[in-house]
């Protein structure tokens, strides 16, 4: 296993878990890796810089792992499992593994691993900046074995929580996209609904702030530019607008506690025509063309 060379890439934008992220990487039993970190770049530029680095280093590394600054490996064996999967399936070029999300207490998409055969082209998206690369071999997507290998954002700051909710709501509404994606939007709606359920049970401040950030976007048709390019202004909005724990809970409960009301608000905001039109195109396409293979646990 040690003959595989791995480059771990991390994008840092003030995440509270960055030290935990680095410590969990240092603790890995697989040690043939290097780590590159890009700090405080605009969201789109950060991703473009990282993927360019991966392509430039294709001759020096076998695998590239995108480990976000708010991701923490769950065990010392995580990198070993990743490397073992790629070693045992030679045609695998892109794995997208589910991660354990703290806020929603669920498994969500998150951990990308690429072979050195992956290439990225120009991406016109401003929010969905993790495009699938072009690969000659196979892709692997799962929320099951070997996932989850990391926990996502287990200790967010208040500013980070607001930004997370803000970002997820932008992806839900997709106001700046040329074409609306029902499946992508529905994924964000399900995530926010799961966070609400956890918040309703535990009444913790951080989950409330995440939902407050999402609700702020939905109520104000907020600009995607603040998330992508001006986080300090975003944090100032949080400081100015956040009314406190109890009022946030009372306000959110009016719209989030009843699932029919949540769906009504969702459909009103994104538009029923957009939802139906996109769903009629995307769902059959996804059913007919499964671009991800399934890897047997024996390869782990």
């Amino acid at each position: 296993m040690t003959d595989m060379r791995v480059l771990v890439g991390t994008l840092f934008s003030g995440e509270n878990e960055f030290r935990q992220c680095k410590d969990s990487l240092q603790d890995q039993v697989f040690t043939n890796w290097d780590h590159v970190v890009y700090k405080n770049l605009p969201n789109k530029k950060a991703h473009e810089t990282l993927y360019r680095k991966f392509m430039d280093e294709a001759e020096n590394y076998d695998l590239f792992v995108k480990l976000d600054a708010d991701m923490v490996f769950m065990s010392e064996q995580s990198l070993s499992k990743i490397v073992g999967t790629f070693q045992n399936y030679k045609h695998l070029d892109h794995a997208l593994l589910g991660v354990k999300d703290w806020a929603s207490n669920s498994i969500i998409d998150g951990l990308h691993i690429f072979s050195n055969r992956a290439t990225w082209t120009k991406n016109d998206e401003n929010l969905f900046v993790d495009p699938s690369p072009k690969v000659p071999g196979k892709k692997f997507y799962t929320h099951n074995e070997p996932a989850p290998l990391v926990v996502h954002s287990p200790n967010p700051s208040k500013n980070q929580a607001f930004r997370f909710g803000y970002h997820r709501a932008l992806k839900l509404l997709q106001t700046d996209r040329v074409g609306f994606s029902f499946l992508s939007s529905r994924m964000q709606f399900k995530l926010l609904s799961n966070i609400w359920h956890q918040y309703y049970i535990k009444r913790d401040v951080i989950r409330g702030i995440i939902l407050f950030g999402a609700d702020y976007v939905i109520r104000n048709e907020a600009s995607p530019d603040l998330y992508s390019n001006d986080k300090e202004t975003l944090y100032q909005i949080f400081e100015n607008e956040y009314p406190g724990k109890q009022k946030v809970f009372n306000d959110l409960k009016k719209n989030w506690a009843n699932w029919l009301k949540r769906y009504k608000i969702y459909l009103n905001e994104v538009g029923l025509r957009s939802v139906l039109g996109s769903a009629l195109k995307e769902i059959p396409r996804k059913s007919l063309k499964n671009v991800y293979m399934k890897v047997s646990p024996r390869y782990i």
Side-chain angles (χ1 to χ4, degrees), residues 16-58:
N16 214 33
E17 301 86 359
F18 186 41
R19 170 54 60 186
Q20 291 174 270
C21 172
K22 292 190 292 183
D23 288 347
S24 73
L25 181 57
Q26 290 289 341
D27 289 341
Q28 295 300 299
V29 296
F30 177 84
T31 59
N32 195 17
W33 53 265
D34 291 311
H35 191 201
V36 59
V37 179
Y38 294 103
K39 294 185 177 182
N40 299 317
L41 294 175
N43 189 44
K44 183 177 176 64
K45 182 178 180 180
H47 285 79
E48 291 175 343
T49 302
L50 181 63
Y51 293 138
R52 169 50 57 189
K53 176 68 172 179
F54 286 171
M55 288 190 288
D56 289 344
E57 296 286 355

Side-chain angles (χ1 to χ4, degrees), residues 165-223:
Y166 193 102
H167 187 209
R168 294 297 176 168
L170 289 175
K171 287 187 169 183
L172 182 148
L173 298 180
Q174 301 175 28
T175 55
D176 68 331
R177 298 190 92 192
V178 174
F180 179 82
S181 169
F182 164 72
L183 292 179
S184 296
S185 178
R186 182 179 177 276
M187 184 186 305
Q188 306 306 322
F189 181 75
K190 182 179 179 181
L191 172 65
L192 291 171
S193 294
N194 286 338
I195 294 174
W196 162 257
H197 291 310
Q198 293 299 310
Y199 175 54
Y200 186 76
I201 294 169
K202 299 174 182 178
R203 310 289 175 93
D204 61 297
V205 171
I206 293 298
R207 287 185 175 92
I209 292 173
I210 292 172
L211 293 169
F212 173 72
D215 198 58
Y216 179 86
V217 171
I218 293 170
R219 286 185 289 106
N220 294 280
E221 298 182 1
S223 167

